[in-house]
Amino acid sequence: DAPGKGAGLLVDAILDSCGSKGTGKWTVQQAAELGVPCATMAAALEARFLSSLKEQRVAAEAITPAPRPSAKVAEPLAGWAEALEDALLAARLCSYAQGLALLSAASREHGWELQLEQLAVIWRGGCIIRARVLEMVRAAYAREPALPNLLLDPAVAAEMASRSAGWRRIVAIAVQRGIPLPALSGSLSYYDSFRTATLPSAQCIQAQRDCFGGHGYRRLDSEGVFHTEWEAK
């Protein structure tokens, strides 16, 4: 409770406009420079920026109708606490995967020779991101120091798969109710993209780049670079 401010939870009385000291911005900038996808971190940063548009959000709420979920969707989600735990752990592992991939890329770029297993040990010993799950991270890089992405470790992959159903339930129910979950949903898109061998979205992007800019594209079934004369129909 907020002392001296009446009943209710303190969190509900906090102004919903987030600050930022720059760490997230620098991280996302470096990720872009090195070509490393960091969807969770980017979503978290953009959520802060969007939260700061308080006056605009108030104006938008006044003219934008909220979604009307069906009666079934509006009912309390059975097992929501366990599903939320699954979502949080899976998204956190995605965040670690992205951060470690970024550090690995920076290490190669700058010749740092970072030992990712040791970083996990240091972080767990005392850091703002320390958590018990870092033992899983440490073990993954102990098994394979050159692991290109944490999600490729068999133990981590199994953990992610076991949490997937609850994670998807939380994101889906939030979307149906109009509740923004930028980091959880962004992490899920990252996970689904990473685990998909052939990405239809990337195929469409390459076709569009060739149509609009003549950049060409490669094919799955032939060697070389191709260009199509696109015609409107």
Side-chain angles (χ1 to χ4, degrees), residues 12-212:
D12 291 329
I14 295 176
L15 178 65
D16 54 322
S17 181
C18 299
S20 179
K21 295 296 186 182
T23 308
K25 180 182 72 174
W26 301 328
T27 300
V28 173
Q29 285 175 333
Q30 286 301 305
E33 288 287 341
L34 295 170
V36 178
C38 288
T40 306
M41 301 177 193
L45 181 64
E46 291 179 1
R48 291 189 181 198
F49 293 157
L50 186 54
S51 77
S52 68
L53 305 177
K54 176 68 173 177
E55 293 183 2
Q56 294 180 44
R57 291 189 291 109
V58 171
E61 183 179 21
I63 62 173
T64 308
R68 297 177 177 271
S70 65
K72 184 176 181 180
V73 172
E75 295 175 358
L77 177 65
W80 69 269
E82 293 79 7
L84 182 58
E85 181 179 340
D86 289 341
L88 289 171
L89 178 58
R92 178 175 290 185
L93 285 170
C94 281
S95 182
Y96 282 131
Q98 294 159 29
L100 289 162
L102 177 56
L103 285 170
S104 182
S107 181
R108 292 191 300 272
E109 178 74 12
H110 302 293
W112 292 342
E113 299 183 355
L114 295 178
Q115 303 298 315
L116 300 185
E117 178 193 357
Q118 291 304 310
L119 286 182
V121 173
I122 293 169
W123 291 340
R124 191 175 183 190
C127 175
I128 60 172
I129 63 170
R130 63 182 174 188
R132 288 192 297 272
V133 73
L134 279 169
E135 174 55 28
M136 185 184 301
V137 175
R138 184 208 63 76
Y141 285 98
R143 285 187 289 270
E144 179 51 71
L147 189 68
N149 190 292
L150 179 64
L151 301 185
L152 292 174
D153 176 74
V156 173
E159 187 70 36
M160 294 290 289
S162 72
R163 306 281 179 167
S164 175
W167 188 10
R168 295 179 192 281
R169 288 179 69 203
I170 288 292
V171 171
I173 202 75
V175 169
Q176 290 172 318
R177 299 184 186 202
I179 301 171
L181 295 178
L184 293 185
S185 58
S187 298
L188 183 56
S189 291
Y190 171 86
Y191 173 65
D192 281 337
S193 295
F194 189 79
R195 66 170 189 81
T196 301
T198 301
L199 284 172
S201 59
Q203 292 172 312
C204 289
I205 290 170
Q206 286 301 92
Q208 291 173 329
R209 293 181 72 240
D210 186 54
C211 177
F212 300 137

